[in-house]
Amino acid sequence: MSPAREQAWRDEREAKVIPITKRRGAPAAQPPEAVSEPQPAAGGGIADTVAHAVGGALAGPLGGVAGRLFGKGWEQRAANGLGFLRRRLTGDYEVDEFGFDEELTEEVLLSLVRPLAEKYFRLEVRGAENLPLEGGALVVANHSGVLPLDALMTQVAIHDHAGRNLRMLAADLVFVLPGVNELARKAGHTLACNEDAQRLLENGEIVGVWPEGFKGIGKPFADRYKLQRFGRGGFVSSALRAGVPIVPCSIVGAEETYPMIGNAKTLARLLGLPYVPITPTFPWLGPLGAVPLPTKWVIQFGEPIPTDAYPPEAADDPMLMFNLTDQVRETIQHTLYRMLVQRRSVFF
C-alpha cells in the first residue's frame, strides 16, 4: 500500500470513532479498580460483618422505608444502635467494680422501663432540683406495692430529671434469684450494706435506699402509706461517714398497683419468700393478675438534710443516728399525707 493510500485509510478509520462523553448529571466513569463493594473492616470479625450488613441495608433499599417508619433523625439513632451492637459483640464496654454497666442501663434497661413510667403510671416528678448535680447523696424513700416497681420508677426519675444514675441498695433476695442477680448488678444495684453504701457515696454517686424493706413492700393494703420501722439507721451512718446530704423521697401511687388483701404465709415459707401476696386479681386471674393497676404516680424529692457539719466520729453516736433517722422518716410521712390530701384520684 502506498504511503498516500495508507494515510487516507487511517483518516477514514479515526473519523468513524465516536468519543464517549459524560452525560449531563451522570457520574464520571471510574477505572475498574476504583469500583468495588464496601467491605467490613479487617479484624472486626462477626461484629463488623453484622454492622456492615445492617448498615448497608438501611443505607440502600430500606432507607426510604426506615425514614417513613422512624421519622426524622433515624439515621443518627440507627448509627448509635449499630455502635452499641458492635461494642456488645466485641466486649468493648466497661463495668465498674460493682458490676454496673452504664451503657446497657441507659440504652436498654431504662428505655424499657421509661414507657411504663411515662405512659402507664403517668409519673410526675417534683423537687428534682433538690438532687445535687454532682457529688454524693443518699436518697431515702418509702417502699410499697408488693413488687419493687417504686425503685425502678425512682431510677428513671433521677436519670431523666437530674441527669444522674441512681445506685440502689437491694435486699439479699435480689442476688440469689437466677437471672435477676446479674441483671440487677448491671442496672446498678448492690447489696444493702453500710460498706458498699459508703464506698459509693464517697465515689460521688447518688445512692437509693428503702429502709422499710420487705415490711414496707409487703404490708397489707389497710396499712397503705403508713411507714414501717426504718431499721437501725444504718443508712444515716453511711451518709455521716461520707459527709453527703440525705434527700427524703416520698412516692404516691405505688401502694395501689397491687392492693395486698392477704398473704399465703405457708406457701411463702415453702418457697423461701418473705410473702406471697393475695390481691383482688392474683392468683384468681392467673398471669393477668400480675399486671399492675394503672395508678397515677407522683415522686416528690424533699429538701436535703446536710450531714457535712458533723465530725467523722458522729457516725458512732447512737442518739444522733436515731434523731436523724426519725427526722427523715417523719419528713417522708408528713409529705405523704400532704400529697394524699392534694391527690384528686388514685388513677388521675
Side-chain angles (χ1 to χ4, degrees):
M1 181 182 295
S2 65
R5 292 188 64 184
E6 182 179 354
Q7 183 62 40
W9 177 80
R10 290 181 182 276
D11 293 342
E12 183 181 358
R13 182 184 176 188
E14 290 178 359
K16 292 181 179 180
V17 175
I18 301 175
I20 299 175
T21 59
K22 185 179 72 171
R23 292 185 313 225
R24 188 174 183 180
Q30 300 182 23
E33 60 272 18
V35 180
S36 61
E37 289 294 326
Q39 299 296 323
I46 188 173
D48 283 329
T49 302
V50 172
H52 171 74
V54 176
L58 290 176
L62 295 181
V65 178
R68 290 191 294 270
L69 287 177
F70 305 120
K72 188 177 180 180
W74 72 269
E75 298 95 338
Q76 184 60 46
R77 295 195 297 271
N80 293 339
L82 289 173
F84 174 79
L85 176 63
R86 186 187 187 283
R87 289 189 294 274
R88 291 290 122 181
L89 292 174
T90 59
D92 185 20
Y93 59 91
E94 296 181 356
V95 297
D96 69 6
E97 58 181 315
F98 296 93
F100 175 49
D101 189 332
E102 182 176 0
E103 184 183 46
L104 180 67
T105 299
E106 293 185 352
E107 298 294 336
V108 178
L109 302 181
L110 289 181
S111 297
L112 294 174
V113 176
R114 189 172 289 111
L116 182 65
E118 295 179 350
K119 305 298 183 183
Y120 195 77
F121 292 136
R122 292 141 293 145
L123 174 62
E124 178 184 346
V125 179
R126 303 173 184 170
E129 65 276 5
N130 291 319
L131 296 166
L133 297 178
E134 59 182 16
L138 184 68
V139 174
V140 183
N142 59 302
H143 212 12
S144 61
V146 174
L147 293 179
L149 296 177
D150 50 3
L152 297 178
M153 297 301 106
T154 306
Q155 185 177 17
V156 171
I158 291 178
H159 180 273
D160 291 356
H161 292 266
R164 303 286 303 274
N165 287 305
L166 177 65
R167 308 299 299 274
M168 295 176 282
L169 303 181
D172 299 2
L173 179 63
V174 172
F175 300 103
V176 299
L177 295 175
V180 176
N181 174 22
E182 184 177 356
L183 190 61
R185 286 287 185 187
K186 289 185 177 296
H189 295 55
T190 191
L191 192 63
C193 64
N194 292 347
E195 292 77 11
D196 283 1
Q198 185 176 338
R199 285 168 60 196
L200 286 168
L201 292 171
E202 291 174 347
N203 289 340
E205 302 283 358
I206 293 185
V207 177
V209 61
W210 287 259
E212 294 175 279
F214 291 122
K215 300 188 302 296
I217 199 173
K219 64 178 176 287
F221 187 64
D223 294 333
R224 59 191 179 279
Y225 298 113
K226 296 177 182 177
L227 294 186
Q228 305 300 299
R229 184 173 173 267
F230 265 24
R232 295 190 294 269
F235 66 91
V236 171
S237 173
S238 299
L240 285 170
R241 294 184 190 279
V244 301
I246 300 173
V247 181
C249 176
S250 305
I251 305 172
V252 165
E255 293 275 16
E256 294 88 3
T257 52
Y258 297 104
M260 186 168 167
I261 58 177
N263 181 12
K265 296 182 179 179
T266 302
L267 182 58
R269 284 194 296 269
L270 291 174
L271 297 176
L273 299 174
Y275 55 85
V276 172
I278 299 175
T279 73
T281 59
F282 184 84
W284 327 114
L285 299 183
L288 287 177
V291 177
L293 296 178
T295 57
K296 164 69 175 175
W297 284 47
V298 179
I299 295 181
Q300 169 78 56
F301 296 102
E303 293 186 6
I305 300 172
T307 65
D308 53 355
Y310 297 99
E313 59 271 16
D316 299 319
D317 184 346
M319 186 55 66
L320 175 62
M321 289 180 57
F322 174 82
N323 289 336
L324 283 176
T325 301
D326 190 59
Q327 179 183 353
V328 174
R329 185 181 181 279
E330 288 302 311
T331 298
I332 296 173
Q333 184 68 82
H334 288 314
T335 303
L336 287 174
Y337 287 150
R338 184 171 63 253
M339 293 168 68
L340 290 172
V341 170
Q342 297 171 349
R343 183 169 67 167
R344 295 179 301 168
S345 166
V346 172
F347 299 101
F348 303 102

